[in-house]
Amino acid sequence: MVDAAYRIPGKNEYYIFAGRNYGRVRFTSNSHENSLVAGPTLIRKGWNTMSKVDFGRVDTVVPVPGTENQLYVFFGGRYIKIKLDNYDDSFVTDGVHHIESGWKSLVQAGFDTVDAAVLVPGTKNEIYFFRGLNYVRVDNATDKMARTVTPIKDGWPSIAKAGFDTVDAIVPSLNHEGHFYVFSGDQYAVIALDHNKEDTLVAASKLISDGWKSMDKWV
């Protein structure tokens, strides 16, 4: 399964995290063809920041809204804020932080850990967070819930139609603006999400190994 995915700004590439390993996957422009260009490598060996805070695995990676090449990385009940510069990672804020002290909105939502997250299209500061069967929309600038906690099956018809109860990772498509890959278990689907927060299923669920050849045998 894919634990987390991050689209690398300015490149046709993703970081994919699975178990204790990660890899860098490259897509051919305007194509679904993809290849593994780096890895799989142990997270502890390839990421300076994660090694320093003892992150052997990753639950969620999501860009920091309104910033360039900064991202939040969640593992268990903790998170770090880092910067990625030409594949080199460094801390934006020193050390590791706990969700319970750094994200009052997630605590209020009852999210002690995070399964997946994605920026909300058409907003400057909002993030969708997924945990178990539920999700919540959070304003990163104010650390407040922009919408109450809602079951995924009720708020995301595209994900429900794909047959997914939970979300392991969600990441924007490289080749289609407004399209997103959603991973759950050993499968993935493609959805469209517009600025009105309306979502539709673009491509039905299929095995990750069928659509992402680059992940074969290690995810």
Side-chain angles (χ1 to χ4, degrees), residues 88 184 209:
D88 292 326
S184 183
S209 58

Side-chain angles (χ1 to χ4, degrees), residues 42-76:
L42 284 173
I43 294 170
R44 291 181 188 276
K45 289 186 176 181
W47 290 78
N48 175 58
T49 52
M50 298 185 208
S51 175
K52 286 184 177 179
V53 297
D54 199 30
F55 278 19
R57 301 172 67 105
V58 171
D59 292 332
T60 303
V61 177
V62 64
V64 178
T67 66
E68 185 175 356
N69 299 335
Q70 292 186 20
L71 49 151
Y72 293 115
V73 181
F74 290 81
F75 174 55

Side-chain angles (χ1 to χ4, degrees), residues 68-117:
E68 185 175 356
N69 299 335
Q70 292 186 20
L71 49 151
Y72 293 115
V73 181
F74 290 81
F75 174 55
R78 304 178 297 162
Y79 72 97
I80 54 177
K81 187 178 182 180
I82 68 177
K83 183 174 183 179
L84 192 62
D85 185 12
N86 196 28
Y87 306 123
D88 292 326
D89 58 306
S90 59
F91 287 106
V92 174
T93 54
D94 291 336
V96 67
H97 307 274
H98 293 271
I99 291 175
E100 63 184 15
S101 59
W103 289 83
K104 295 179 181 178
S105 54
L106 293 179
V107 173
Q108 184 181 359
F111 290 13
D112 55 351
T113 62
V114 175
D115 295 336

Side-chain angles (χ1 to χ4, degrees), residues 207-218:
L207 290 173
I208 295 171
S209 58
D210 289 342
W212 292 68
K213 301 298 184 183
S214 56
M215 299 190 207
D216 194 25
K217 295 184 173 62
W218 71 279

